[in-house]
Amino acid sequence: MIKVLGIDHVAFNVRDLDKSLEFYTKVIGLKITEREPSKPGIEYFLDCGPSLLGIIQAKDLNSSHLFANEGLGANHFSFRVQAQDFDAMIAQLEAHHTKIEFAKKRAKSWSLYFYDLDGNKLEATAWPLEDGVAENKRVKEIYDSKTKSWRTY
């Protein structure tokens, strides 16, 4: 049996490569990798922990297959973030007027769903127990992006 070591990279097409590069580097904080050659105007690969994120200039802007909630195909992919950076990630996205679908803190995992410039659904996930968050700080909360506040559930 072959042993899969993890996800090497995720890649998807974008409407405007330069604007998407700016979003993923300035808003999300990824860096252009030195492991894989990028082709300006065509594609960039960005370091995302041990994996890579590929953004590729779409050739046909009239056809779309966005990450979607209900249909077949891709749904979303998630960035792993440290629990201590989770709330700062929300603030960073809001500062750049990024659409946030919802954020939820559970006892074992925290999820933040948001969208990139092309409507691709993304997630940031934190594992508070693994990140050493004290038990009394691992409360069940949902974030309301309209009021910019957390409420328990």
Side-chain angles (χ1 to χ4, degrees), residues 28-93:
I28 305 299
L30 303 180
K31 306 267 187 256
I32 297 173
T33 189
E34 297 195 14
R35 294 171 36 203
E36 177 77 22
S38 291
K39 300 172 189 145
I42 299 172
E43 67 185 14
Y44 288 96
F45 283 91
L46 310 170
D47 284 319
C48 189
S51 303
L52 295 173
L53 171 64
I55 54 173
I56 302 166
Q57 177 62 55
K59 292 184 175 121
D60 181 359
L61 298 179
N62 295 318
S63 122
S64 66
H65 177 73
L66 301 177
F67 283 69
N69 284 324
E70 305 295 330
L72 293 174
N75 182 283
H76 72 277
F77 72 87
S78 180
F79 298 102
R80 169 71 159 90
V81 298
Q82 292 289 312
Q84 58 264 29
D85 294 331
F86 192 79
D87 289 352
M89 179 83 173
I90 293 171
Q92 175 77 358
L93 294 172

Side-chain angles (χ1 to χ4, degrees), residues 86-87 90 94 100-107 109-113 137-153:
F86 192 79
D87 289 352
I90 293 171
E94 288 177 335
I100 294 175
E101 184 173 303
F102 78 90
K104 188 174 194 176
K105 291 180 179 177
R106 302 171 203 81
S109 68
W110 297 350
S111 298
L112 163 62
Y113 290 93
K137 299 287 186 184
R138 294 189 310 246
V139 296
K140 294 180 177 181
E141 295 180 300
I142 294 178
Y143 185 74
D144 183 338
S145 60
K146 291 178 185 155
T147 63
K148 299 185 184 335
S149 63
W150 290 95
R151 67 173 170 80
T152 57
Y153 68 95

